[in-house]
Amino acid sequence: MKRNDTPQSFWDHIEEFRKRFLRVLSVLLVVFAGCAYKVDPVINTLSKITGVPFVYTQPTEAFFIRLKIAFMMALFLCIPLIIFEIWKFVGVALTVRERHWMMGTLPASYFLFCLGAAISWFVVLPSATKFLMSFSTAALQPFLSIDGYISFAMWMTLAFGGLFQLPLGVLFLVRMDIVDPKTLSHYRPHVVAGLALLSAFLTPGGDPFSQLALLIPSYILFEISLLVARFLSKPVVPEEKESEWTPE
């Protein structure tokens, strides 16, 4: 299909990228400054989850962990802007139909990531931490590093947010004619088994509640994606004419 973008030189692309990068960086720094004042409530919340106070083993660790938490919070809040700027930058290389597809998938991707992150943060993380802390004894007491636990919590959040991209992966495979909904339905037991293995791998320890908290929503999202895939696999009337589109 024809792409409706004006040819640009290499340096024009570099200049456009520079402008968009500086725009994102400026907003990120402003949000980072605001998030720096909300770090202590996050640390207090995580401390309540573990039931023990955190420790730090290096003189600079307490300072840098606050910067790390503030940056991760700012990055998470700025993801919509980052996605928007990336989409505007690469959109000139896409057809109108491809841009419409991205317009629908990018917000859905962010929503699914937030959903997975919320389940991880508010459901799985407390349950998994309680399960893991239950192995402590009078002779084996927890001594949790703040940096180690933050890394553990962020890994859980990213893992859950990533797995919740499953519906978009299914829709992508269907749209690219790599698989069809009937094939996916036929291999449903294999998909469930794969999701169960992923849930067991992504959730620490052997806490069955945490595994089910990931498996059940993932399976529901898979079934929903199958329904949408069946709808998208129906014949579509070709577009008569593609409208012009130029990046801002």
Side-chain angles (χ1 to χ4, degrees):
M1 293 184 181
K2 183 181 178 180
R3 289 168 172 76
N4 300 296
D5 58 310
T6 303
Q8 293 179 324
S9 68
F10 172 78
W11 295 111
D12 289 334
H13 287 295
I14 293 296
E15 178 63 18
E16 182 184 355
F17 176 81
R18 184 187 70 84
K19 291 179 179 179
R20 297 189 182 280
F21 176 79
L22 291 178
R23 188 181 306 168
V24 170
L25 182 62
S26 301
V27 175
L28 184 63
L29 290 176
V30 172
V31 178
F32 170 80
C35 291
Y37 293 96
K38 300 296 182 180
V39 170
D40 284 337
V42 174
I43 296 177
N44 293 336
T45 300
L46 293 176
S47 180
K48 291 178 181 178
I49 291 176
T50 61
V52 296
F54 293 116
V55 300
Y56 58 94
T57 58
Q58 299 293 332
T60 59
E61 187 175 354
F63 172 73
F64 283 109
I65 195 62
R66 283 180 162 82
L67 297 182
K68 181 178 180 179
I69 295 174
F71 176 77
M72 289 187 294
M73 293 170 61
L75 186 63
F76 181 79
L77 293 174
C78 289
I79 285 178
L81 174 63
I82 295 173
I83 292 176
F84 176 80
E85 293 296 342
I86 293 176
W87 175 73
K88 284 292 187 179
F89 181 72
V90 304
V92 294
L94 304 176
T95 65
V96 172
R97 182 172 297 175
E98 289 169 343
R99 289 194 290 267
H100 289 168
W101 171 250
M102 288 187 64
M103 281 285 287
T105 56
L106 292 181
S109 176
Y110 183 66
F111 170 77
L112 290 173
F113 182 86
C114 291
L115 180 61
I119 292 177
S120 170
W121 191 265
F122 296 107
V123 179
V124 177
L125 187 61
S127 175
T129 301
K130 183 179 179 180
F131 174 78
L132 295 173
M133 296 290 285
S134 66
F135 289 96
S136 63
T137 64
L140 185 63
Q141 292 295 312
F143 194 66
L144 298 180
S145 165
I146 177 63
D147 189 31
Y149 192 79
I150 287 295
S151 298
F152 167 72
M154 289 301 104
W155 181 85
M156 290 278 291
T157 302
L158 291 174
F160 274 62
L163 187 57
F164 270 56
Q165 304 300 306
L166 174 65
L168 297 182
V170 172
L171 295 180
F172 174 80
L173 293 176
V174 172
R175 294 282 290 187
M176 295 294 105
D177 293 328
I178 299 175
V179 295
D180 57 78
K182 291 183 178 180
T183 302
L184 291 174
S185 298
H186 176 73
Y187 287 100
R188 180 182 283 106
H190 301 78
V191 173
V192 174
L195 290 175
L197 289 175
L198 277 176
S199 300
F201 174 76
L202 294 177
T203 51
D207 179 15
F209 177 78
S210 299
Q211 295 175 13
L212 289 175
L214 178 58
L215 174 60
I216 294 175
S218 299
Y219 176 70
I220 293 175
L221 289 173
F222 171 73
E223 291 294 341
I224 293 175
S225 64
L226 271 183
L227 293 175
V228 178
R230 291 191 183 99
F231 174 78
L232 292 178
S233 62
K234 295 179 180 179
V236 180
V237 178
E239 297 179 0
E240 295 181 359
K241 184 179 180 180
E242 294 184 337
S243 58
E244 295 292 327
W245 180 89
T246 54
E248 294 180 359

